[in-house]
Amino acid sequence: MDAGLRLNALLAERADEVTLMADLLTVEDARRTAAALPGAEFNHGTPRVDPVTREHLDFGLDIATADGSLLKQELPLSVLHYVAPGAVEDRIVRAVGQGIASIGSSGRWPDDPNAVRAGTAPGRCTRTCWGS
């Protein structure tokens, strides 16, 4: 069990959702992550602007159906998504491939009789996963 999971297990109370963030470097990683997070909004990893209008350009391809060569031109991609705890964390760790992912959860640490204030401090645990 990794340190992030061990810390998360120590929380006395857990939030209703976890935060998933990932930077995706390959077409395959993007497709696996999109399959693991249906409905998630993907963005360019590096902001892009129209060279003439200077307006922000949104990522607009359907990752599942876009031609791989077109999708490759849009890389790297990033995603920020919120899910119920336990819903997809393991799939994200496997999907990220060559990229990096962060899984953040929050809650309340248990009461500690040696602490100045008992159990009131919010707790945050983050797992950071580097691709293979």
Side-chain angles (χ1 to χ4, degrees):
M1 179 183 289
D2 69 29
L5 287 176
R6 287 193 304 268
L7 283 172
N8 191 45
L10 294 175
L11 291 172
E13 296 174 7
R14 290 176 190 81
D16 295 340
E17 64 184 16
V18 294
T19 306
L20 305 174
M21 294 181 285
D23 292 323
L24 308 165
L25 306 178
T26 70
V27 170
E28 295 79 16
D29 298 349
R31 290 196 200 278
R32 282 192 305 271
T33 303
L37 297 175
E41 182 178 327
F42 290 78
N43 296 295
H44 292 113
T46 304
R48 298 187 183 186
V49 295
D50 183 287
V52 176
T53 66
R54 307 301 297 161
E55 290 183 18
H56 175 78
L57 297 175
D58 291 327
F59 173 72
L61 296 177
D62 179 342
I63 293 174
T65 61
D67 181 82
S69 61
L70 291 176
L71 193 52
K72 187 174 183 176
Q73 295 174 33
E74 302 293 321
L75 297 172
L77 296 176
S78 66
V79 63
L80 169 65
H81 197 62
Y82 302 93
V83 297
V88 296
E89 293 96 314
D90 290 338
R91 286 187 295 185
I92 292 301
V93 170
R94 288 190 302 271
V96 73
Q98 294 181 25
I100 186 171
S102 174
I103 303 168
S105 56
S106 60
R108 185 183 63 79
W109 295 115
D111 292 338
D112 180 353
N114 298 319
V116 175
R117 294 178 9 185
T120 58
R124 292 207 188 290
C125 301
T126 301
R127 293 172 63 191
T128 302
C129 311
W130 286 269
S132 54

